[in-house]
Amino acid sequence: MNSLVVVGTGWGDEGKGKITDYLSNKFDVCVRYQGGNNAGHTIKFDNKHFALNLIPSGIFNPKTINILSNGMVIDLSVLVKEINSLIDQGINCQNLYISNRAHILFPYHIELDEAFENLKGDNRVGTTKRGIGPCYIDKYMRIGIRFGDLLNKDSFYEKLSLNVDYANKILSLFGNKIFDKDKIFNKYTSYIDTIKSKIIDTSVFITNSLNENKNVIFEGAQGIMLCLDHGTYPYVTSSSPSASSVALNCGISPQYIQKVLGITKAYSTRVGEGAFPTEIFCETSKKIRKIGNEYGTTTGRERRIGWLDTVILKHGKRVSGITNLAVTLLDVLTGFDKLKICVAYNLDGKKIEFIPSTIEEFSRCEPIYIELDGWMEDITQIKSFDDLPDNAKKYIKTIELTTGIKISIISVGPNRNQTIEI
Ligand code: GDP
Ligand code: IMO
Ligand code: MG
């Protein structure tokens, strides 16, 4: 068993970055497998604080090779800034590679994201406006430009010209800003020297590493509820964070994927629009937002808050093969008399334990809760499960019993060392 997938179980921001960084010293290779800089992964250790958007969270372990896979859409200007900022902070980026099949995200994708959201009006998704959807649209339209294309300047110019003309036609329909292909060409070819040596066939690299029995960790972005296929469509992102997408998104055989660590907060959050059955609006949600610092890493937006939803965890177990869970931000639930966990939904008078396929039905789901007693003790310095307050242990055991998934990690603070392994 030499691979592990780290996947968010909810609507993102579950603490994937923290857990991937924590685990990375056990792994030779760390691969980000989808999404782009819509992600924001926070890592804290030794009084240092990093927020990564594109680079895998294994970058802080000098021995780990970090890979941006073919499944990603990568804003090259953001990547170059992120590399330079890490180098400025003393982090070595020599061990960073990019798939020659990963798609490049250009400035016109960002403008198109804005235009499409405006067009949707009240039905907007509430995207991060980083151009993610439009870049994946180009991939599926079979006009996308990939990192391998960047290395041949003539054909890169040809492909870029066609795409800029095409994007400008759409943008002018909306009255949005249009783009100058030469300016983009000059800017993007100026990055070649910085990244040329990093562009490789990552499918070959990862497969060889697995065959040599090296340990590989696959880090997802977003979460299963934002999955294009299995999330709360259409309020989702444009890729598949589910672990089942790892093989395709990394160019490896599915036989290598056996262990899937689902990352869940001890409660639920969501940024952007879309139904959220366990969402709460009260003093408790305000307190959780404040203590948990629930503001988006990428956009700074207030995160919506709700109780933990085990229907969602069971959904993740089925569609994403979750074998183990890490429960994060358990410390944030300290100080509440009562805590609730959703165990099923009431949909139009019927009890269900799955996520309905339409957003209309999902919006009508009323959570069925069990209530548990809370705990008052500070748990942020606790290092073992046995030392947790009894009610915190009961909370964890209830999640295990309700979902049938083993909990192997509990996180009690944002720092690397505030982690309990069971
Ligand atoms: P990701 O996108 O899944 O990597 O998660 P984010 O980094 O966007 O959001 C998680 C937030 O929770 C970050 O601010 C982390 O520093 C913080 N965090 C992670 N684990 C814990 C924890 O156990 N307790 C607390 N209080 N904060 C945590
Ligand atoms: P990490 O990896 C939280 C949400 C957006 C929006 C929807 C679609 O940090 O967990 P997009 O820009 O992808 O087209 O937006 O998805 N979203 C995230 N929410 N964490 C993320 O990433 C997210 N990435 C996208 O808010 O609702
Ligand atoms: Mg995040």
Side-chain angles (χ1 to χ4, degrees), residues 11-13 16 38-41 126-128 221-222 226 236-237 271 301:
W11 288 285
D13 302 330
K16 299 175 289 294
N38 45 352
H41 295 182
T127 73
T128 56
Q222 292 82 52
L226 289 171
V236 293
T237 189
V271 234
R301 290 179 288 176

Side-chain angles (χ1 to χ4, degrees), residues 2-6 19-21 23-24 27-33 58 64-65 215-219 261:
N2 57 347
S3 75
L4 177 72
V5 178
V6 168
I19 299 297
T20 305
D21 165 69
L23 292 171
S24 70
F27 288 88
D28 305 292
V29 183
C30 177
V31 188
R32 246 295 292 277
Y33 61 84
T64 307
I65 306 276
N215 294 330
V216 182
I217 187 165
F218 297 92
E219 178 185 17
L261 179 66

